[in-house]
Amino acid sequence: MRIGKNYNLILQEIYRSYPNTVSKNTGSYIKIQPASAEDHENIKNLLTAKKADHYLIEYPTVIKVVIKGLPSSTDVADIESELKSKGFAVEKISHLKKSPLPLFMVQIKRSENAVNIYELKNLNYLTVEVVPFRRRPGASQCYNCNYFNHTSKTCRMTPRCLKCGENHKTQNCPTTDRLKTLHCINCNADGHMASSCQCPRFPKLKTKTKKEETPISKNPINQRQVRPDVSYANVCSNKIEKQMAPREETPKPSNQSPSEKHQDNAEPNFKFEKFATYINELNNLTSKFPEILRALEDMSKTNNDIEKLNIFLIAVARSCNK
């Protein structure tokens, strides 16, 4: 119900007669929600008797679908007869001529088998596809009162002419000449009509905006490095310090001379030379004492260190007795 001069008196009468009704303010309208279908019919008659401007929100009684795959020259009567033979209660069929593809919009009365229309794969001996009808985005405008968000079918408001603003429908306006100055009957401004999207009261499309991402802090104090030796449970129980490895210290600048650095780099080479000497001595022993060489081969066949040591000592003892 549109908010008028005596809207509060009408609400009082509705509340006294139907106390379970819920009424909410939605800006320029009062949304009335009856508790039952019987209350809905009685409140509708009450608003009509009080001549209150209102429109109805009715439960959709039809299912609107679009049939794809039929030639544009297909007669709608053939489609209707075919669908009725399959058990569908067809209310209306229209050819969507503004579409670049041959599409047919079908309205089917709601019933138990009405949803089976989406399973239809063949019609008039052709393979077809049935999809839900999707209306164009944007607010609908009533042809009767030229307000928004409802249609003339459910409108119970005083008619308003889009051209002159008088209380009659636009199609019944006696003014047939082209208007020299455009005037909007919704915002009372010149330069556009109430059906123009330039009107400040024309509903705007709500565009989805991406949520702003939380900026990552650049302060290293607030950041934790991922460590393989620290579990999530220990982080939550403040046991990080026991498992966390010490931070790597920044290498300090070296004050060593180039000769000292050369000696440090040469240390691994010195160890390798000593290791090579050990190998040479072992090779000399195995050449003189074959028992030790065979012992080394037997040692590779076991994983027990004690057995390896026993095999080696026995081979040494045998070599000494020769």
Side-chain angles (χ1 to χ4, degrees):
M1 179 181 65
R2 188 170 180 84
I3 296 178
K5 294 182 180 179
N6 300 324
Y7 79 94
N8 54 344
L9 299 178
I10 298 176
L11 288 179
Q12 290 178 16
E13 187 171 350
I14 292 175
Y15 182 76
R16 285 195 299 266
S17 303
Y18 314 100
N20 294 328
T21 302
V22 178
S23 301
K24 295 181 180 180
N25 180 19
T26 60
S28 300
Y29 295 87
I30 299 295
K31 186 176 182 180
I32 302 174
Q33 298 175 310
S36 64
E38 183 180 357
D39 292 351
H40 178 274
E41 190 68 23
N42 293 332
I43 293 174
K44 183 174 66 173
N45 295 333
L46 174 62
L47 294 175
T48 303
K50 296 292 183 181
K51 297 182 180 181
D53 287 346
H54 66 282
Y55 65 88
L56 305 177
I57 301 177
E58 295 183 347
Y59 181 77
T61 58
V62 296
I63 295 177
K64 294 183 180 181
V65 298
V66 175
I67 299 179
K68 302 179 181 180
L70 295 177
S72 57
S73 59
T74 305
D75 191 355
V76 294
D78 296 337
I79 301 176
E80 182 178 359
S81 62
E82 183 75 11
L83 291 176
K84 286 183 177 181
S85 65
K86 295 181 181 296
F88 298 108
V90 180
E91 290 284 332
K92 181 181 178 182
I93 299 178
S94 58
H95 185 196
L96 304 180
K97 297 182 179 181
K98 293 184 179 181
S99 174
L101 299 175
L103 303 177
F104 293 88
M105 195 268 287
V106 181
Q107 297 183 20
I108 298 177
K109 189 175 182 180
R110 288 184 176 270
S111 60
E112 295 181 358
N113 65 333
V115 293
N116 296 334
I117 188 67
Y118 297 108
E119 300 177 1
L120 186 65
K121 302 298 180 184
N122 188 280
L123 187 66
N124 290 347
Y125 310 104
L126 292 173
T127 301
V128 296
E129 181 184 3
V130 181
V131 297
F133 174 77
R134 296 180 180 178
R135 57 184 299 273
R136 291 182 179 181
S140 57
Q141 188 171 15
C142 177
Y143 294 145
N144 180 57
C145 63
N146 285 294
Y147 289 120
F148 300 98
N149 299 320
H150 67 278
T151 62
S152 58
K153 182 180 179 180
T154 60
C155 182
R156 303 295 184 269
M157 298 191 188
T158 303
R160 293 192 311 157
C161 180
L162 195 65
K163 295 180 179 179
C164 62
E166 297 296 333
N167 295 336
H168 59 257
K169 292 185 178 181
T170 305
Q171 60 185 1
N172 300 329
C173 183
T175 304
T176 57
D177 298 336
R178 186 173 183 178
L179 299 177
K180 296 181 180 179
T181 303
L182 300 179
H183 181 76
C184 179
I185 60 176
N186 285 336
C187 67
N188 293 324
D190 295 331
H192 65 270
M193 301 186 74
S195 58
S196 174
C197 59
Q198 299 178 357
C199 178
R201 295 193 177 183
F202 193 91
K204 302 297 187 296
L205 287 176
K206 295 181 180 180
T207 57
K208 295 182 179 180
T209 58
K210 294 183 179 180
K211 295 182 180 180
E212 298 182 359
E213 296 182 359
T214 305
I216 300 175
S217 175
K218 296 182 179 180
N219 187 1
I221 298 177
N222 297 330
Q223 297 179 357
R224 293 184 183 273
Q225 296 181 352
V226 178
R227 298 179 181 274
D229 56 340
V230 178
S231 64
Y232 177 77
N234 290 330
V235 172
C236 297
S237 59
N238 296 326
K239 296 181 180 180
I240 308 175
E241 298 298 330
K242 296 181 180 180
Q243 294 189 5
M244 185 177 294
R247 292 186 178 180
E248 296 180 1
E249 296 182 357
T250 306
K252 297 181 180 179
S254 177
N255 296 326
Q256 294 180 346
S257 61
S259 60
E260 293 176 347
K261 290 182 180 180
H262 179 72
Q263 292 178 1
D264 293 341
N265 295 333
E267 185 177 356
N269 295 334
F270 174 75
K271 291 182 179 180
F272 179 76
E273 291 176 358
K274 293 178 67 176
F275 181 74
T277 302
Y278 302 151
I279 296 298
N280 190 21
E281 290 295 335
L282 184 60
N283 187 28
N284 186 22
L285 288 174
T286 55
S287 62
K288 293 180 180 181
F289 304 100
E291 294 289 340
I292 297 178
L293 179 60
R294 287 192 293 268
L296 294 176
E297 294 177 357
D298 294 338
M299 290 168 59
S300 62
K301 297 178 182 180
T302 180
N303 295 327
N304 194 327
D305 295 337
I306 302 299
E307 292 182 3
K308 291 181 180 181
L309 183 60
N310 290 334
I311 294 172
F312 183 75
L313 292 177
I314 293 172
V316 172
R318 289 177 180 177
S319 299
C320 293
N321 294 330
K322 289 184 178 180

